[in-house]
Amino acid sequence: MIPLRIFFDAEKLPFLALSFFAVVVTLTDDTQPAVAQGSNNSNPTTISVNVGVILDLETEVGQMGLTCINMSLSDFYSSNPSYKTRLVLNVRDSKRDEVAAAAGALDLIKNKQVQAIIGPQGSAQADFLIHLGNKLHVPIISFSATSPSLSSIRSPYFIRAAQNDSSQVNAISAVVKAFGWREAVLVYIDNEFAEGIIPSLTDALEMVDTRVPYRSLIHPLATDDQILRELYKLMTMQTRVFIVHMLPTLGYRLFAKVKEVGMMSEGYVWIMTNGITDLWRSVDSSVVANSMQGVLGIKTHVPSTQNLHDFMLRWKMKFQQDNPSILNPILNIFGYWAYDAAWALAMAVEEMGAANFTFQTLNASTDVIDVDTIRVSQNGQKLLQNLANMTFVGLTGYFSLVNGQRESSVFQIVNINGNAARGIGFWTLENGLLRDLNSFNRSKYSTFKSNLGPIIWPGDSTSIPKGWEIPVNGKRLRILVPVKEGFNQFVKVTRDPSTNTSLVTGYCIDIFQAVIEKLPYAVPYDFFPFALPNGSSAGSYNDMIDQVFYQNYDAVVGDTTIIANRSLYVDFTIAYTESGNALLVPYKDYKGKSAWVFLQPLTWDLWLATVCFFVFIALVVWILEHRVNEDFRGPAMHQVSTSFWFSFSTIVFAQTDRVFSNLARFVVIIWVFVVLILTQSYTASLSSLLVVQNSQPPVTDLNQLQKSGEKVGYQYGSFSYGILKQMNFDDSRLISFKSAEECDALLSNGSAKGGIAAAFDEVPVIKLMLSQYCNKYTMIPASKTAGLGFVFPKGSQLVPDISRALLNITEGPKMTEIENTWFTSKTNCPNLTTSLSSNSLGLDSFLGLFFIAGAAAVLALLIFMVMFVKRNWHEVTGSSSSSWEKIVSLGRRFYQRDLNSYTFRKGRFRDKSIHDGGNEIAAVVTLENTSFPPSPSSDSSQSNDVLTNKQGTPSPEVGFPNPVDKGGLGIAINAELTSQK
């Protein structure tokens, strides 16, 4: 993470290093001598192990790192005096130069046979050293090369005892998402330090729906004028969120110029990566106080412990002893990582025990600068394995390596106020944003801004910046509008030839202007007709959308339909009109009705169920009335016809036959109620069907239109043509129109005379044509779309604000006022949304009624059967006949009259009263007090005994003789029985 003065292609570094190797070797006598830490020369049992250290000793980070490494080894061996190994440091100064770092590494490995190298300091220097370590099996341990491009997976002998810069990108994206910023500009240094993190940061922002519209690269050696030119370019953009990734040496110059041009004011957002925040104390305090107020930063969190506090005091004393010229040294995260890296290496070497720390010649060569003359470390693989498995509690917390690099820890979100970085929250991989580390929820990842403390933004503002705004010194919105020959109610462009200006009006324009007035900020804009020099349209609606996609214009305002394919390239606001496509078709009066139209009100299953119930009710009534009602007796055909006549006559409530049984009356009452509901429903359905057929259109949907082979019309330039093509309509059947008048003419001619059978377009367009020709045409819904909307570039910050303003417009009276201005409303027009199909009534609608009627009939039958069997059971069981004969006997008794019924008794007494008027009252009284036994069997074999009982006296069950019959009582009874046979 240290800036470099010279940059070379990594592939050329080996050749450059080898070229200067001979020169560097001659200068090694002038380098800092090797320093042995913790070695006890008087103790012959200890084993000295050479390790290399390559740092930029001219920088504060290099000096700080070397001091921390020395203190780490001193503390390690002081706390473990019995250990057998002692690391001997061989230090080389890379002088901020990649070639010097490479030459130093070659010297350390060839001449000092070091087992590992701590360093180098910069990512560019580490690139060559990593390849060298892989070839010679020497672990390269860096505590400051944090570029993600230095992959430990691809380079197994590279150990990153620091965090990868990419580990912070999710913390940055969480902050951006918390405040809902949809765009962010990346400002970063143009070198290896930023090359690795920028792709990861871009991906992380896209994951939270934040677009990166621009990347601002600043050269490490950029002048103030070059920085100003880049800042002026950023000022002309709408985006006001900037993420800065660079080191303090360039960062403080950048922020000084940001303050100078006025970009550190209210409405701006500046977020720093840990490249500046972890080292921000090294920045001039005057720059912080004057130029960085309100900036947010991502900082590597280091838990505050007593051990860390004591180390900081000891380090400051030690550092000032080693570097007396530096009066106010500052210890930062890289010093902590250097301390832990040296500790881990010392532990790994100790675990190897009394190993033979020597090198083996890779290949003999007489060339002194040939890499093949350098020996391969015999213990490199074992040492690498020990480092990979090393775990302990270091200065910054738990130390462990994952895939060759230090595991990501907690990041702190800070806000620069005054000369301090005030903590406002934390970010962890498991829980996202947290107010403090003791209040996290292990089961939920949070990106809520409420989990962050109060923030003072640039310009001493406490209001959350919206992240974008129309630049005052920038361009006005260039809005494209369609040029149309017809349907000018939506958009109308009137051109003034004298001034060469255009006046844009219409329904869509009024809505857009009303929305802009609702926004809480000013949005300047200009309308540009999408027209050729002669004033005609320059293309279709898709062509207009392409102009926004290619950033030639900032928006499209017009009757543009929201469809899925277009949303892949641009963003739409919410729809401000009714959604869907429809067919405009002419009315056709069907003068000749179908001869069987009367059957259509009911479905076939309902017809069948109704007929079955008529038959069932007829059967039930016959069973209940047969024994007591003369109308349901006689020849078989007479009984069948009477029963059916009675049942079916209930349709018109014209039944002339009476029922005498109470059970039959109960069944008939229920059935008449069911028939009443059926007839009323049938009448209503038939009336509706006849009215609908009177104005039935010739086309009811697109599928029917496609099968018929007739021609279809569509509005020129609209998306309707694409939909029809997707439905396999041939071009020969598609005719375009540009105005309502032209569409009317095509529909009037019809498909057979060169016109069209139907017009296909957006619902608002169809309704517009209906408002002019409502007595001739009707609308049939055809397919779904999202409606009409305004078009903006992908990720535009205006889309959510305009969508919210559209909701306010559509829910208020303003929308109705605009519609009444541009669309004529005719009160004599039929309902445009009335369905042209009449559904027949089905069985499902009457299942409840049929269930009630059926249950009542079955219940009446059960009651009748129980009563009948109970009354006649003793007569049947008294005989010695077989079971089948008993059943037959019961059947015969059922077929006979029930002379005990009130109906027959009343008839007989009425007949007798004609001849014996004086005894009428007495006879009736006598009849009512008489108990009649059941009628005897009418078996032919017993016909001679039917008139008398066993004693030879007349049987009482025959009742009184009928005075009308002159033949006396026997003749009357015999005639009755004969009629029943």
Side-chain angles (χ1 to χ4, degrees), residues 372-406:
D372 291 338
T373 62
I374 304 177
R375 297 176 180 179
V376 177
S377 175
Q378 294 181 336
N379 301 294
Q381 186 174 1
K382 178 64 175 176
L383 180 59
L384 182 67
Q385 183 178 356
N386 290 344
L387 285 170
N389 298 328
M390 189 62 57
T391 57
F392 61 92
V393 178
L395 286 179
T396 58
Y398 189 73
F399 180 93
S400 65
L401 298 177
V402 178
N403 294 327
Q405 61 186 10
R406 190 155 188 170

Side-chain angles (χ1 to χ4, degrees), residues 935-966:
S935 300
S937 173
S938 58
D939 195 322
S940 61
S941 64
Q942 302 177 0
S943 60
N944 295 329
D945 300 331
V946 72
L947 299 178
T948 62
N949 57 17
K950 292 181 180 181
Q951 288 76 22
T953 59
S955 177
E957 75 173 340
V958 300
F960 292 96
N962 191 342
V964 179
D965 296 332
K966 301 296 182 178

Side-chain angles (χ1 to χ4, degrees), residues 7 188-191 217-223 226-227 250 253:
F7 301 91
Y188 56 96
I189 188 172
D190 187 12
N191 66 6
L217 282 75
I218 298 181
H219 195 274
L221 303 178
T223 63
Q226 291 173 331
I227 295 177
L250 180 62
R253 294 177 55 215

Side-chain angles (χ1 to χ4, degrees), residues 434-741:
L434 300 171
R435 188 66 174 267
D436 58 77
L437 294 177
N438 297 324
S439 63
F440 60 88
N441 181 0
R442 293 183 181 273
S443 62
K444 188 175 182 180
Y445 184 89
S446 172
T447 56
F448 297 120
K449 61 176 178 290
S450 58
N451 290 343
L452 298 176
I455 301 174
I456 300 178
W457 303 96
D460 292 330
S461 173
T462 57
S463 300
I464 299 175
K466 62 179 179 291
W468 74 277
E469 63 182 37
I470 302 298
V472 177
N473 57 345
K475 62 180 182 179
R476 297 162 62 90
L477 287 183
R478 294 168 52 85
I479 298 177
L480 207 57
V481 295
V483 175
K484 305 162 65 72
E485 295 184 13
F487 304 104
N488 299 126
Q489 291 89 341
F490 291 101
V491 178
K492 182 178 182 180
V493 178
T494 305
R495 189 172 184 179
D496 187 354
S498 59
T499 60
N500 200 24
T501 58
S502 297
L503 175 64
V504 183
T505 57
Y507 170 73
C508 302
I509 304 302
D510 284 358
I511 291 179
F512 180 77
Q513 291 174 342
V515 166
I516 295 299
E517 293 176 1
K518 282 284 185 180
L519 294 178
Y521 46 85
V523 178
Y525 61 88
D526 295 309
F527 289 124
F528 293 87
F530 189 54
L532 298 174
N534 60 3
S536 61
S537 175
S540 65
Y541 283 76
N542 287 337
D543 295 331
M544 283 197 303
I545 291 175
D546 289 341
Q547 294 297 315
V548 175
F549 175 72
Y550 292 124
Q551 300 183 359
N552 296 328
Y553 291 88
D554 301 311
V556 171
V557 172
D559 51 338
T560 310
T561 306
I562 304 171
I563 56 178
N565 184 52
R566 292 173 176 175
S567 66
L568 298 175
Y569 308 98
V570 294
D571 280 348
F572 287 91
T573 63
I574 63 169
Y576 56 87
T577 63
E578 185 178 351
S579 62
N581 296 321
L583 289 171
L584 183 70
V585 296
Y587 282 117
K588 183 176 181 181
D589 189 10
Y590 285 87
K591 298 299 183 182
K593 305 297 187 301
S594 171
W596 301 100
V597 69
F598 67 91
L599 295 176
Q600 296 181 15
L602 306 183
T603 59
W604 68 268
D605 54 347
L606 182 55
W607 277 115
L608 181 60
T610 303
V611 171
C612 291
F613 258 83
F614 273 117
V615 174
F616 176 65
I617 295 299
L619 177 62
V620 171
V621 171
W622 177 81
I623 293 174
L624 298 177
E625 289 291 310
H626 174 69
R627 304 190 73 232
V628 299
N629 194 337
E630 287 289 350
D631 292 337
F632 290 89
R633 301 188 62 80
M637 289 302 298
H638 173 74
Q639 296 183 48
V640 172
S641 62
T642 301
S643 300
F644 283 166
W645 160 257
F646 179 85
S647 177
F648 282 93
S649 64
T650 57
I651 297 177
V652 293
F653 307 103
Q655 60 272 32
T656 58
D657 298 311
R658 296 185 300 167
V659 291
F660 300 132
S661 170
N662 289 332
L663 292 175
R665 290 170 179 173
F666 169 70
V667 172
V668 170
I669 290 174
I670 299 297
W671 177 242
V672 168
F673 173 74
V674 173
V675 171
L676 175 65
I677 300 300
L678 278 172
T679 55
Q680 294 296 326
S681 301
Y682 174 84
T683 303
S685 181
L686 181 61
S687 300
S688 175
L689 183 65
L690 293 175
V691 171
V692 168
Q693 279 200 349
N694 197 39
S695 58
Q696 184 74 15
V699 178
T700 57
D701 55 49
L702 272 175
N703 292 327
Q704 178 187 351
L705 194 63
Q706 184 180 14
K707 295 176 182 178
S708 66
E710 294 185 288
K711 297 180 180 179
V712 184
Y714 65 93
Q715 185 183 173
Y716 175 79
S718 72
F719 77 103
S720 303
Y721 174 78
I723 293 181
L724 293 172
K725 290 295 293 182
Q726 290 178 4
M727 298 189 66
N728 298 323
F729 278 89
D730 190 76
D731 284 331
S732 60
R733 297 175 54 195
L734 301 179
I735 300 177
S736 64
F737 55 85
K738 297 182 179 179
S739 64
E741 293 74 16

